[in-house]
Amino acid sequence: MQHPPATAERPGTDPDAAAATTRIPLPGVVVAIACLAGLTALVCTFLGSISVGIVAGLAIVVVAVALLAWIVRHPRMPGPTDGSRRRFLQVSVGGVALVGVGAALGRTVEKALRPDAVAVQDAAASDLGGEYMELVGRAANAERSGDIQLLLAPFNSANYTFESLSLHPRDPRTSHAAVWMYLERIPLVAYGPGVIEPGDNADRVSLADLAPTTAGLIGFSDWPSDREGRGLPGFRTTGVTPKVVVTYVVDGGGWNVLRQWPNDWPNFARLMREGMQYRNAITGSFPAVTACAHATIGTGTFPRQHGITGHNIRDGATARKAYRTPGAADPSDILVPTLSDLWHDASGAWVGQIGYQVWHMGMIGHGGTSRPATDLPVGVYFDEPGGDGWQPHNPALFRLPNGAPGMDVLDARMQTFDDPHWDPEWEAWRTTYCCVPPIAAYQGDLLEATLANEPIGEGHPSLLYTTFKSPDYTGHVYGMQSKWEGLMLKAVDDELGRIVRFLDQRFPGEYALFVTADHGQCPLPDSMGGVRLDPIQLEAVIEREFGAGMGTAVQYTAPSEVYLDRAALGDAGASVDDVAAALRNLTYRQNLGPYVPASAVEMQLLDNAEFAAVFSSDYLLSHASAGWSGSTIYTGTGVDQGVPEPELYS
């Protein structure tokens, strides 16, 4: 019997049929893989990231195509044919198409579930009313502002990160980075026997009105007409041009602080009675903080024009501290020249500034833009961290005044300080300068040395700006209701009396003095039914909602604003308006971190709102030209506390 050749097919077998038993139904695989890729893209995009959705979907397509290529080239499979190549093309094109469709559908569904972000902000703006919205709008600067502006509900306070992590019951540390009138209302008096006529005015004025008023007083006729400040109403002079104009700012000395301690500023009260007083003065913009206010004093306009929108500003794609580093400060952060810049350039007059922090430099700017290295202006801050005392803001741009007292003078004052009202159990004042009377007296020493040893009053009128930081510093550390606040207010008022006596002696009938404050202070939230805002948890909320893409959404969180990565937001299919709308109804309960001890939690206030409003900078900039109108719904809630009362002047 003859056997068939080994290579011959067995009877009854069909080669094509045998191959078919191992061949995978490729058309079905094509459909399944393409659908899986599209579904993956849809889900990932819906969950927050279009880039992750597209990358994940395309990854599935690539893996699937590679797998199919291996299958059709497997030794047991038929070689590549036109049909299999068509299937590759179907997988590739179909999968990619469905990835795009899935991503687009996911984004559409996600957006449809979000609230109308502009409508949410419109409603908040209507609640705030025209005056408050004008204050907020004055801070919107396209180059500098944070992307989200946080308007705390009345009497709430925003923590810094380190404060949230170390919070304790009735913690006195507070922030005044808000908009309410108890923070905005400030005293303002113009005093100058023989130069300024006394009087009383109740018109609404702001810190922006100081520079144009001073310009008129010293005879500077080229003051820019595009600045928002206007000369103070009812301001009358005798016709005498002063030899020096001193602007004296009590940092954190707003009306709610003065009313808290009505007996601790007798010298200021006397100037109010004898000078030209403005009962209805406000800081003039949001937030009511030092950096903004002092640049407003110096430039006669608001943050939307001078660019100092807060203690932090945007610098390209990142946020940083305004003026950069103390001791190497950069006044070019101010976008328009100050009165000091313009006046020195026009007349060569002496100008100078003595403060405590780098942010006080906003009152002088550069002090002139055409100065040689041998003619630097006086520009001073106190180097507390370095222990080096008074230092120029930047040695290349500023200098100390002649005869500036050294640290030995302060040390002597610290050693001899003794006050029966001071808590004898609190010894930190012996090594901490910020919040004890000797630091105010030491600044008085510096002011007196400056007035005595500098060529002030020679030639054209001189401009001297000074800010006493200690009342504000004390309020931040111990609270404005602490007895130390009253003691520091009195210490600064004592120095006001001292400088008036010195001016009377040195420039009798030939000086002008403006005395004001940059803002009020936040009362202890626990005492006013307020709650605290935790930046750690705020950032976590934003990241959960909008940070699911390839990068984080939040760059930096400050007490009154949030800086965002717009590219990361775009990847999440969101805008800054969406973030503003999402935060609008955040509650205290939703903002509590696990590190806050139960004893520091206000249990009865868990459902209180953190914000009265949250706006995107885009919203504020796009609505600025339309103006704002309407009254606020917050009248009667205590936000206007701090209105000066007549008996405080008498």
Side-chain angles (χ1 to χ4, degrees):
M1 182 175 179
Q2 188 175 7
H3 295 284
T7 56
E9 298 294 342
R10 295 189 180 184
T13 62
D14 182 347
D16 293 335
T21 62
T22 60
R23 185 176 294 146
I24 295 175
L26 291 180
V29 172
V30 170
V31 174
I33 292 173
C35 289
L36 177 61
L39 180 62
T40 300
L42 185 151
V43 172
C44 290
T45 303
F46 177 73
L47 292 177
S49 174
I50 191 169
S51 64
V52 172
I54 291 175
V55 169
L58 290 178
I60 291 174
V61 172
V62 170
V63 171
V65 170
L67 179 61
L68 288 175
W70 179 84
I71 290 174
V72 299
R73 288 177 172 81
H74 193 275
R76 297 183 61 188
M77 302 301 298
T81 65
D82 290 342
S84 62
R85 283 193 292 269
R86 285 195 298 273
R87 292 185 184 106
F88 291 147
L89 183 61
Q90 289 171 339
V91 171
S92 302
V93 175
V96 170
L98 281 181
V99 167
V101 171
L105 183 59
R107 180 53 37 82
T108 300
V109 173
E110 182 192 23
K111 285 189 174 182
L113 295 176
R114 287 181 180 153
D116 184 333
V118 173
V120 170
Q121 293 174 90
D122 283 341
S126 178
D127 289 346
L128 281 172
E131 183 173 37
Y132 279 122
M133 286 306 300
E134 177 63 18
L135 298 181
V136 177
R138 287 172 176 172
N141 183 291
E143 297 178 43
R144 298 292 184 74
S145 295
D147 301 282
I148 299 296
Q149 299 300 308
L150 307 171
L151 278 73
L152 296 171
F155 301 108
N156 288 0
S157 177
N159 290 343
Y160 285 97
T161 296
F162 70 90
E163 292 170 336
S164 289
L165 294 174
S166 60
L167 203 65
H168 56 83
R170 297 189 65 79
D171 197 315
R173 296 171 295 179
T174 57
S175 167
H176 47 76
V179 72
W180 306 110
M181 283 299 163
Y182 60 87
L183 302 174
E184 284 280 334
R185 288 189 175 275
I186 53 172
L188 175 58
V189 62
Y191 178 79
V195 176
I196 298 173
E197 298 282 4
D200 192 311
N201 187 281
D203 293 344
R204 174 56 55 81
V205 298
S206 78
L207 291 176
D209 299 326
L210 283 173
T213 303
T214 302
L217 183 61
I218 61 178
F220 180 48
S221 59
D222 291 332
W223 178 250
S225 60
D226 64 342
R227 304 291 172 91
E228 295 185 83
R230 294 292 178 263
L232 289 166
F235 186 84
R236 295 178 297 112
T237 71
T238 63
V240 174
T241 300
K243 289 185 175 180
V244 60
V245 179
V246 178
T247 301
Y248 190 104
V249 183
V250 182
D251 200 323
W255 267 114
N256 71 334
V257 177
L258 297 185
R259 291 186 65 184
Q260 180 73 31
W261 305 100
N263 299 317
D264 290 318
W265 38 282
N267 291 300
F268 199 178
R270 179 179 71 83
L271 299 189
M272 291 175 181
R273 293 191 300 269
E274 298 177 5
M276 179 65 196
Q277 58 178 315
Y278 291 89
R279 297 174 179 264
N280 203 6
I282 61 174
T283 300
S285 67
F286 163 83
V289 297
T290 296
C292 306
H294 285 74
T296 294
I297 291 171
T299 63
T301 192
F302 299 111
R304 63 184 170 196
Q305 190 171 18
H306 64 58
I308 305 300
T309 54
H311 294 156
N312 305 281
I313 59 174
R314 180 169 290 289
D315 185 356
T318 61
R320 62 169 172 81
K321 293 296 181 184
Y323 306 122
R324 301 183 186 273
T325 306
D330 183 4
S332 63
D333 279 349
I334 306 174
L335 299 178
V336 296
T338 64
L339 173 60
S340 291
D341 292 327
L342 297 170
W343 179 235
H344 176 269
D345 287 351
S347 68
W350 187 97
V351 299
Q353 174 269 327
I354 291 171
Y356 194 90
Q357 290 180 314
V358 66
W359 299 314
H360 299 146
M361 185 177 61
M363 295 187 293
I364 190 176
H366 290 83
T369 59
S370 59
R371 287 180 177 271
T374 56
D375 183 30
L376 298 181
V378 167
V380 176
Y381 82 105
F382 186 74
D383 182 21
E384 183 176 7
D388 293 328
W390 303 119
Q391 294 294 324
H393 287 298
N394 184 328
L397 302 172
F398 302 97
R399 64 178 176 87
L400 293 175
N402 294 320
M407 283 293 287
D408 58 320
V409 176
L410 176 57
D411 291 340
R413 286 190 174 278
M414 294 290 285
Q415 292 304 316
T416 58
F417 170 67
D418 185 22
D419 191 310
H421 299 94
W422 207 259
D423 190 341
E425 296 182 0
W426 186 67
E427 291 295 321
W429 66 267
R430 295 192 184 277
T431 56
T432 304
Y433 302 122
C434 72
C435 308
V436 288
I439 191 63
Y442 184 47
Q443 186 166 336
D445 295 336
L446 180 61
L447 280 169
E448 190 168 305
T450 302
L451 288 164
N453 300 315
E454 290 288 321
I456 293 174
E458 297 180 7
H460 296 281
S462 302
L463 301 178
L464 173 61
Y465 296 87
T466 189
T467 298
F468 282 76
K469 179 66 180 176
S470 48
D472 178 67
Y473 217 147
T474 305
H476 281 296
V477 177
Y478 302 107
M480 62 168 279
Q481 293 147 311
S482 162
K483 64 180 180 181
W484 295 331
E485 179 67 35
L487 289 170
M488 288 310 304
L489 193 62
K490 183 179 184 304
V492 171
D493 188 73
D494 287 344
E495 296 312 308
L496 175 60
R498 176 183 177 184
I499 196 172
V500 169
R501 291 191 297 272
F502 191 89
L503 290 169
D504 281 336
Q505 179 183 7
R506 191 168 186 83
F507 305 103
E510 294 183 295
Y511 73 88
L513 174 66
F514 291 97
V515 187
T516 187
D518 55 350
H519 53 73
Q521 295 184 31
C522 185
L524 186 67
D526 313 60
S527 67
M528 301 296 296
V531 298
R532 298 177 186 271
L533 177 69
D534 180 356
I536 303 171
Q537 297 306 310
L538 180 67
E539 182 173 337
V541 167
I542 297 173
E543 292 297 344
R544 281 197 302 270
E545 184 72 20
F546 302 103
M550 303 298 287
T552 57
V554 178
Q555 292 178 329
Y556 179 70
T557 302
S560 66
E561 59 187 350
V562 181
Y563 294 83
L564 298 170
D565 185 330
R566 293 195 177 217
L569 279 182
D571 179 50
S575 66
V576 290
D577 287 316
D578 291 323
V579 178
L583 296 179
R584 170 65 182 89
N585 295 313
L586 186 74
T587 64
Y588 177 51
R589 183 193 304 272
Q590 295 168 314
N591 190 240
L592 279 171
Y595 36 79
V596 178
S599 59
V601 176
E602 302 294 332
M603 300 301 295
Q604 73 278 16
L605 304 177
L606 287 174
D607 294 319
N608 275 28
E610 291 282 1
F611 304 114
V614 181
F615 297 114
S616 75
S617 56
D618 289 359
Y619 177 87
L620 296 173
L621 289 165
S622 64
H623 286 67
S625 60
W628 309 97
S629 62
S631 58
T632 179
I633 67 169
Y634 294 97
T635 298
T637 62
V639 297
D640 211 35
Q641 77 164 219
V643 176
E645 297 177 353
E647 62 266 23
L648 293 179
Y649 295 96
S650 58

